Amino acid sequence: MSLKKKLIVLNTTIMLGLGSAFAIPSVKAESITDIQSQRTGIQSDISEAEQVIQQLKKEQSKMNAQIAQIESAMKENDQKIKDTEQEIKDTEKDIESLKKEIKALEERIAKREEVLKERALSFQESGGDVEYLEVVLGSKSFGEFVNRVGAVATIVEADQQILSEQEADKADLEKKQATVEKKLQSLKDMEVELKGMQSQIEDQKAETVNMKAKIEKKESETEALKQSLENKDAGLEAQIASIRENIKKEEERKASEKADLDRAAEEVNSSNASSEESSSSSSEESSSSSKGEASAKSSSKAESSSNSSKNSSAAKPAASKTETSSRPSSANTGSAITAGYKYIGNSTYKFGGGRTASDIANGLFDCSAFVAWAYKQAGVNLTPSTDALKNAGRQVSDSQKQPGDLVFFNTYKTDGHVGIYVGGGKFIGSQSSTGVAIANMDSGYWAGVYNGRVVRVN
């Protein structure tokens, strides 16, 4: 083979070596760009999953606080039931004692009746059919006259006293019976109400615990998804590291080959510099041109890949945020509703509460007392009783209800709970599980017990 051909082969080998040295890393660089683009999407999903987890943790914390409130209400209510049951027992003892008194009174009344009968009979036998004046004037002597007057007066006076005592005992008996029976009935009604309310609180707790379990399940699933995404991201990161390591090794190998080829070319060129100068110069120009083209192609591909990655990243939609609002506009609800906002999250349900200045100052309300208080802030006086409130205005249909209307629920009894409608399927009221709060009456517990009664306060 001639020297010129050898040089051509050598230069061609150099060209191919240089082209390969640039082409292979370029392809791998594109792979890194693609993988990095995937990582960007995965990291965005991880960030979104973390936000969901944080929101779920907040909801779980809220559920825990609500369960604690419910348990506190149940504990207080249970103590109230025990106290009421003890009062019922004490009242029943009073009734037993009263029954003995009643029996004694009845015996005294019966004895008096016998005495009156005997006196009447005796008076009749001794001339009771004679008028008082005849008895007195028929005396044969002054002494008999005095005795007759005294006897008649004593009989009349004694009878009047007996009759008076009889009437007093009967009145006392009726009064005691009415008082004790009224107290006993009141206590029994309270016991029924408290036990019904306790059942209602237990139902709400069960619902809250169920919601908490769902939140925990969703949180667990989101954590698992996040872990899966992190594992995938770590795998892609490892791929990039591996590709970069291979590129580095490939570049080192090609640099070594280039150095060997350069040394070989220099040796050939130095030994034949004079005879093949023009040919060698032409080969070097060709080699330089090829290197430039390969470099330009590599640069063009890298730029195209980079632009593709940017476009792909720009095309990826941002995570959407859901806007929620649990509180209706005060412009639509009126001052009776907005008055209660200050007690949301800052109050406790209390059976019979909200009827004293101290209870109101401390946010202690039952449902009817809260409604009455709220309307009082709007200049309307209402009686704090569900039975009274359902007649506090005119009835309207459920489809016509407006913010400010009273809405009723069948809890432990018909119309056992009342609140103020705020719009959007929600109402504000003092709930046994939460204190003053805005609750959803279109789903969950309250939807199940809403009875459709709507009262528009006049």
Side-chain angles (χ1 to χ4, degrees):
M1 185 181 291
S2 67
L3 180 59
K4 186 176 181 179
K5 288 183 178 180
K6 287 182 180 179
L7 287 172
I8 290 171
V9 172
L10 181 60
N11 286 325
T12 301
T13 304
I14 292 170
M15 292 279 292
L16 292 172
L18 290 173
S20 176
F22 282 104
I24 292 175
S26 175
V27 172
K28 292 181 177 178
E30 289 179 0
S31 298
I32 289 175
T33 302
D34 291 340
I35 294 171
Q36 190 61 55
S37 177
Q38 292 181 49
R39 285 194 69 196
T40 300
I42 290 172
Q43 287 169 357
S44 176
D45 291 340
I46 291 172
S47 177
E48 188 175 342
E50 287 175 345
Q51 291 177 7
V52 171
I53 290 169
Q54 290 303 314
Q55 183 61 35
L56 290 171
K57 286 185 181 296
K58 288 180 181 179
E59 290 181 18
Q60 187 177 348
S61 177
K62 183 179 178 181
M63 287 293 137
N64 287 334
Q66 190 169 344
I67 289 171
Q69 282 186 317
I70 291 173
E71 289 175 344
S72 176
M74 288 177 68
K75 184 177 179 181
E76 183 177 341
N77 205 59
D78 188 57
Q79 184 59 49
K80 191 78 175 177
I81 290 172
K82 289 178 180 177
D83 293 343
T84 302
E85 287 174 343
Q86 185 59 48
E87 285 188 59
I88 289 173
K89 289 179 181 179
D90 293 341
T91 304
E92 286 174 343
K93 288 181 181 178
D94 291 342
I95 289 175
E96 288 300 317
S97 177
L98 180 61
K99 284 180 179 178
K100 293 178 181 178
E101 290 183 25
I102 290 171
K103 187 176 181 180
L105 283 172
E106 288 174 343
E107 289 175 353
R108 288 205 298 270
I109 289 170
K111 286 180 179 178
R112 288 194 191 100
E113 288 177 352
E114 289 298 324
V115 170
L116 288 172
K117 287 179 182 178
E118 290 176 2
R119 284 179 179 276
L121 182 61
S122 175
F123 183 73
Q124 185 178 5
E125 289 175 351
S126 62
D129 57 339
V130 182
E131 293 183 2
Y132 177 77
L133 184 60
E134 292 178 349
V135 172
V136 175
L137 296 179
S139 304
K140 295 179 180 179
S141 65
F142 181 74
E144 186 178 353
F145 170 79
V146 172
N147 289 336
R148 284 194 175 194
V149 171
V152 172
T154 301
I155 291 172
V156 173
E157 185 178 325
D159 289 347
Q160 288 179 343
Q161 184 177 353
I162 290 173
L163 290 172
S164 177
E165 290 175 355
Q166 191 83 332
E167 291 300 322
D169 281 349
K170 284 182 178 180
D172 186 38
L173 177 62
E174 290 174 358
K175 184 179 178 181
K176 286 183 178 180
Q177 283 179 321
T179 300
V180 175
E181 287 174 2
K182 183 179 179 181
K183 181 180 179 181
L184 182 61
Q185 187 59 48
S186 175
L187 289 170
K188 287 183 176 179
D189 289 344
M190 183 185 293
E191 183 183 27
V192 170
E193 190 167 351
L194 287 168
K195 286 182 177 179
M197 192 174 297
Q198 190 77 336
S199 176
Q200 172 191 340
I201 296 171
E202 288 171 357
D203 288 344
Q204 291 187 41
K205 181 182 178 183
E207 182 184 3
T208 306
V209 169
N210 184 45
M211 289 175 62
K212 180 186 174 185
K214 288 180 180 178
I215 290 171
E216 288 175 344
K217 182 181 178 182
K218 190 174 181 181
E219 182 183 357
S220 177
E221 290 172 351
T222 309
E223 287 279 9
L225 174 61
K226 178 189 170 188
Q227 186 62 51
S228 174
L229 291 170
E230 287 176 343
N231 291 340
K232 189 174 181 180
D233 182 57
L236 293 174
E237 185 179 17
Q239 284 185 38
I240 291 174
S242 177
I243 291 171
R244 284 176 175 164
E245 183 64 25
N246 290 337
I247 289 173
K248 183 179 178 182
K249 289 179 180 179
E250 190 71 18
E251 288 175 344
E252 289 175 352
R253 184 178 68 79
K254 292 302 177 183
S256 177
E257 288 179 357
K258 181 178 177 297
D260 291 342
L261 290 171
D262 286 343
R263 282 194 299 272
E266 287 176 5
E267 289 176 1
V268 172
N269 289 334
S270 63
S271 64
N272 300 284
S274 58
S275 61
E276 302 292 341
E277 182 176 354
S278 60
S279 177
S280 175
S281 175
S282 176
S283 297
E284 288 176 1
E285 287 175 4
S286 176
S287 175
S288 175
S289 175
S290 298
K291 284 163 54 177
E293 290 176 4
S295 177
K297 288 180 181 180
S298 175
S299 176
S300 176
K301 288 182 180 179
E303 183 179 356
S304 174
S305 176
S306 176
N307 290 335
S308 174
S309 174
K310 290 178 181 178
N311 291 336
S312 173
S313 176
K316 185 174 180 64
S320 62
K321 294 183 180 178
T322 302
E323 295 181 0
T324 60
S325 176
S326 62
R327 181 171 296 183
S329 171
S330 60
N332 298 326
T333 59
S335 56
I337 295 172
T338 56
Y341 284 168
K342 70 176 183 179
Y343 285 117
I344 293 176
N346 187 34
S347 61
T348 303
Y349 181 91
K350 178 184 177 182
F351 180 78
R355 291 163 176 81
T356 65
S358 175
D359 279 354
I360 293 170
N362 290 287
L364 304 175
F365 294 97
D366 62 15
C367 65
S368 58
F370 171 75
V371 169
W373 172 85
Y375 263 94
K376 188 173 183 180
Q377 310 315 299
V380 179
N381 291 323
L382 299 176
T383 303
S385 161
T386 54
D387 288 337
L389 289 172
K390 69 183 181 183
N391 297 310
R394 62 187 178 91
Q395 302 271 334
V396 297
S397 66
D398 176 63
S399 62
Q400 294 179 325
K401 66 179 178 292
Q402 299 175 0
D405 290 344
L406 306 186
V407 286
F408 292 79
F409 305 83
N410 294 343
T411 50
Y412 61 92
K413 66 177 183 179
T414 301
D415 300 317
H417 188 72
V418 62
I420 306 173
Y421 187 63
V422 300
K426 296 179 180 180
F427 74 98
I428 186 171
S430 182
Q431 278 67 265
S432 55
S433 58
T434 60
V436 176
I438 293 176
N440 193 339
M441 57 189 288
D442 283 348
S443 64
Y445 173 81
W446 294 109
V449 296
Y450 174 54
N451 63 18
R453 185 190 295 278
V454 181
V455 173
R456 187 158 298 161
V457 177
N458 294 330

